[in-house]
Amino acid sequence: MPTYVITDTEKGETFEKFCSWNELETFLEKNPKFKKELTTPKIISGIEGKTHKVDNGFTENMQRISEAHPNSPMAEKFGTNRTNKDKKTFNTVKKRTSIGKSHNMNNIAKEYRPGQLVK
């Protein structure tokens, strides 16, 4: 159900009413001192999931950003330019340590570089 902006013409007060179109019409018929204001609709265009696909240009841009930040969560989602060996090393470090739980992931990401030996 949508939200409508209603104005009291006598007092000049404005408020929002959450109802169906039929309920709004009955409310306005019973209360002639109230007037519906013209507003833009609040529309959600879609969400990523099974029914909504992400544009290829957007995906390429996210991949470019994730290559610049290979240790970020974005890199895990969109991929990086790391080799499989580097990915396995980082995943092992992530699994065996508390990265992301009690440590600052950004500082650790700055310290870790592909090909680095893990102690």
Side-chain angles (χ1 to χ4, degrees), residues 5 11 14-15 24 29 49 52-53 55 60 65 71 77 79 88 102 110 112 119:
V5 178
K11 298 179 184 176
T14 303
F15 63 94
L24 176 68
E29 286 175 8
H52 181 73
K53 300 294 181 190
D55 184 14
E60 288 175 11
I65 293 170
N71 300 325
K77 183 175 181 181
K88 287 180 182 180
S102 63
K110 290 175 187 173
Y112 176 79
K119 296 179 182 177

Coordinates of all heavy atoms in Angstrom, one line a residue, residues 5 11 14-15 24 29 49 52-53 55 60 65 71 77 79 88 102 110 112 119:
V5 N 0.2 11.9 1.0 CA 0.4 13.2 1.8 C -0.9 13.9 1.8 O -1.5 14.2 0.7 CB 1.5 14.1 1.2 CG1 1.7 15.3 1.9 CG2 2.8 13.3 1.1
K11 N -6.3 24.2 8.9 CA -5.1 24.4 9.8 C -3.8 24.6 9.0 O -2.8 25.1 9.5 CB -4.9 23.3 10.8 CG -6.1 23.2 11.8 CD -5.9 22.0 12.7 CE -7.1 21.8 13.6 NZ -7.0 20.7 14.5
T14 N 0.2 19.3 7.4 CA 0.4 18.2 6.5 C 0.8 16.9 7.2 O 1.6 17.0 8.1 CB 1.4 18.6 5.4 OG1 1.0 19.8 4.8 CG2 1.6 17.5 4.4
F15 N 0.2 15.8 6.8 CA 0.6 14.5 7.4 C 0.6 13.4 6.3 O 0.0 13.6 5.2 CB -0.3 14.2 8.6 CG -1.7 14.0 8.3 CD1 -2.2 12.7 8.0 CD2 -2.6 15.1 8.2 CE1 -3.6 12.5 7.7 CE2 -3.9 14.9 7.9 CZ -4.4 13.6 7.6
L24 N -8.4 5.8 0.9 CA -8.1 7.2 0.8 C -9.3 8.0 0.2 O -9.7 9.1 0.7 CB -6.9 7.5 -0.1 CG -6.6 8.9 -0.4 CD1 -6.1 9.6 0.9 CD2 -5.5 9.1 -1.5
E29 N -13.9 11.7 1.1 CA -15.3 12.0 1.0 C -15.9 12.3 2.3 O -16.8 13.2 2.4 CB -16.0 10.8 0.4 CG -15.8 10.6 -1.1 CD -16.4 9.4 -1.7 OE1 -17.2 8.7 -0.9 OE2 -16.2 9.0 -2.8
G49 N 18.8 -10.6 -7.6 CA 18.4 -11.9 -7.2 C 18.1 -12.7 -8.4 O 18.7 -12.6 -9.4
H52 N 16.1 -10.5 -11.1 CA 16.8 -9.2 -11.5 C 18.2 -9.5 -11.8 O 19.0 -9.9 -10.9 CB 16.6 -8.1 -10.5 CG 17.2 -6.8 -10.9 ND1 16.6 -6.0 -11.8 CD2 18.3 -6.2 -10.5 CE1 17.3 -4.9 -12.0 NE2 18.4 -5.0 -11.2
K53 N 18.7 -9.2 -13.0 CA 20.1 -9.4 -13.3 C 20.8 -8.1 -13.3 O 20.3 -7.1 -13.7 CB 20.2 -10.0 -14.7 CG 19.5 -11.4 -14.8 CD 20.2 -12.4 -14.0 CE 19.5 -13.8 -14.2 NZ 19.9 -14.7 -13.2
D55 N 23.5 -5.4 -14.6 CA 24.1 -5.0 -15.9 C 25.5 -5.4 -16.1 O 26.3 -5.3 -15.1 CB 23.9 -3.5 -16.1 CG 24.3 -3.0 -17.4 OD1 24.5 -3.7 -18.3 OD2 24.5 -1.7 -17.5
E60 N 31.5 -5.2 -14.7 CA 32.9 -4.9 -15.1 C 33.5 -3.8 -14.2 O 34.6 -3.9 -13.8 CB 32.9 -4.5 -16.5 CG 32.6 -5.6 -17.5 CD 32.6 -5.2 -18.9 OE1 32.9 -4.0 -19.2 OE2 32.2 -6.0 -19.8
I65 N 37.2 -2.3 -9.6 CA 37.4 -1.8 -8.3 C 37.9 -2.9 -7.4 O 38.8 -2.7 -6.6 CB 36.0 -1.2 -7.7 CG1 35.6 0.0 -8.5 CG2 36.2 -0.9 -6.3 CD1 34.2 0.5 -8.2
N71 N 41.7 -7.6 -1.2 CA 41.3 -8.3 0.1 C 40.0 -7.9 0.6 O 39.7 -8.2 1.7 CB 42.4 -8.0 1.1 CG 43.8 -8.5 0.6 OD1 43.8 -9.6 0.0 ND2 44.8 -7.8 1.0
K77 N 33.2 -11.2 -4.0 CA 31.9 -11.3 -4.7 C 32.2 -11.2 -6.2 O 31.6 -12.0 -7.0 CB 30.9 -10.3 -4.3 CG 29.6 -10.3 -4.9 CD 28.6 -9.4 -4.4 CE 27.3 -9.5 -5.1 NZ 26.3 -8.6 -4.6
G79 N 35.3 -11.0 -7.9 CA 36.5 -11.6 -8.4 C 37.7 -10.6 -8.4 O 37.5 -9.4 -8.3
K88 N 43.9 -19.2 -2.5 CA 43.9 -20.3 -1.5 C 44.7 -19.9 -0.3 O 44.3 -20.2 0.8 CB 44.5 -21.6 -2.1 CG 43.5 -22.3 -3.1 CD 44.2 -23.5 -3.6 CE 43.2 -24.2 -4.6 NZ 43.8 -25.4 -5.2
S102 N 37.8 -9.8 15.1 CA 38.3 -8.9 16.1 C 39.4 -7.9 15.5 O 39.8 -7.0 16.2 CB 38.8 -9.6 17.3 OG 40.0 -10.4 16.9
K110 N 46.0 -4.2 3.9 CA 47.1 -3.3 3.5 C 48.4 -4.1 3.7 O 49.3 -3.9 2.9 CB 47.1 -2.0 4.2 CG 46.0 -1.1 3.9 CD 46.0 0.1 4.8 CE 44.8 1.0 4.5 NZ 44.7 2.1 5.4
Y112 N 48.8 -7.5 3.7 CA 48.9 -8.7 2.9 C 49.0 -8.4 1.4 O 48.3 -7.6 0.9 CB 47.7 -9.6 3.1 CG 47.7 -10.8 2.2 CD1 48.4 -11.9 2.5 CD2 47.0 -10.9 1.0 CE1 48.5 -13.1 1.7 CE2 47.0 -12.0 0.2 CZ 47.7 -13.1 0.6 OH 47.8 -14.2 -0.3
K119 N 53.3 -16.6 7.9 CA 54.0 -17.2 9.0 C 53.1 -17.8 10.0 O 52.0 -17.4 10.2 CB 54.9 -16.1 9.7 CG 55.9 -15.6 8.7 CD 56.7 -14.5 9.4 CE 57.7 -13.9 8.5 NZ 58.5 -12.8 9.1

